[in-house]
Amino acid sequence: HALCAAQRNAETGHHLVEDEQRAVRGAELAHPLQVAGRRDDDARLALHRFDQHGQIVDMLRFTCLAGAGLLLRRYSAAHKRLLLLATVCLLDAGYGRWTNDWFIVNLGDNPVGFFGQLFFFVNCTIVIAMLYDLWTRKTVHLAYVAAVPFIVLTQVATSWIAYSEAWSSIARGLLE
């Protein structure tokens, strides 16, 4: 009996109409949610600067640190720390979005605000790891001493390059 009722409903297109109505209601709800989820224009522009070239620098930084860690895999202490640094350096976009553009708003849409937005909490995480080493081993491991200047240098370069007109045109060409 239930099979016959299902066939009749399918034949008349009853479920198709209901599904179409649900889809229209869903689409009507989706638009206001998209609008509500947007950030202000300045913040989106700043994060777009990161999307243009920051990901390329992140990949290079990760490759260098992870590669050094793999080369030093026989030395477990250095290996662990270099892979930790490589992984932490990938958190900049997440931390940058998590801070809800506080640095850009308060320090300005410039290299300093950009640096704070993306790298402040990454660097705090690195300092915590170094302090843990200092606390537990009474010294900072040589892997940190060697890698942290490289990390900070690439972060500063990324922040400066983000506001360079020359790099904007190169990055667009690379990413398209």
Side-chain angles (χ1 to χ4, degrees):
H1 180 61
L3 182 60
C4 292
Q7 280 179 327
R8 278 194 306 273
N9 284 338
E11 289 172 3
T12 62
H14 182 263
H15 291 291
L16 184 61
V17 171
E18 283 180 10
D19 289 343
E20 187 177 313
Q21 290 170 342
R22 282 190 208 120
V24 168
R25 278 182 285 198
E28 289 170 351
L29 286 173
H31 182 68
L33 289 174
Q34 287 174 340
V35 171
R38 289 187 184 141
R39 294 181 172 176
D40 64 48
D41 291 339
D42 290 342
R44 269 188 279 126
L45 176 62
L47 288 174
H48 180 66
R49 289 183 200 281
F50 174 74
D51 291 338
Q52 285 182 346
H53 75 282
Q55 294 167 350
I56 295 168
V57 177
D58 274 355
M59 288 184 281
L60 292 172
R61 188 183 308 120
F62 177 83
T63 302
C64 290
L65 292 169
L70 291 175
L71 288 173
L72 296 172
R73 65 184 171 270
R74 289 186 189 157
Y75 307 99
S76 65
H79 170 77
K80 289 187 293 189
R81 285 165 179 83
L82 287 167
L83 291 181
L84 173 68
L85 288 172
T87 305
V88 167
C89 285
L90 293 176
L91 298 175
D92 52 7
Y95 278 135
R97 286 174 178 83
W98 176 66
T99 57
N100 200 22
D101 310 315
W102 186 89
F103 289 93
I104 298 278
V105 170
N106 291 293
L107 299 177
D109 188 8
N110 57 47
V112 174
F114 185 86
F115 182 88
Q117 187 70 31
L118 291 178
F119 304 122
F120 178 78
F121 285 107
V122 168
N123 293 342
C124 286
T125 306
I126 292 170
V127 167
I128 289 168
M130 292 171 68
L131 289 173
Y132 178 79
D133 250 18
L134 192 59
W135 182 48
T136 59
R137 291 171 177 72
K138 306 299 184 231
T139 185
V140 175
H141 196 277
L142 184 59
Y144 290 125
V145 175
V148 168
F150 166 73
I151 293 168
V152 173
L153 180 67
T154 58
Q155 290 172 343
V156 170
T158 300
S159 301
W160 179 77
I161 290 170
Y163 289 82
S164 163
E165 288 302 318
W167 178 252
S168 281
S169 61
I170 294 168
R172 275 191 282 277
L174 289 173
L175 295 174
E176 289 177 353

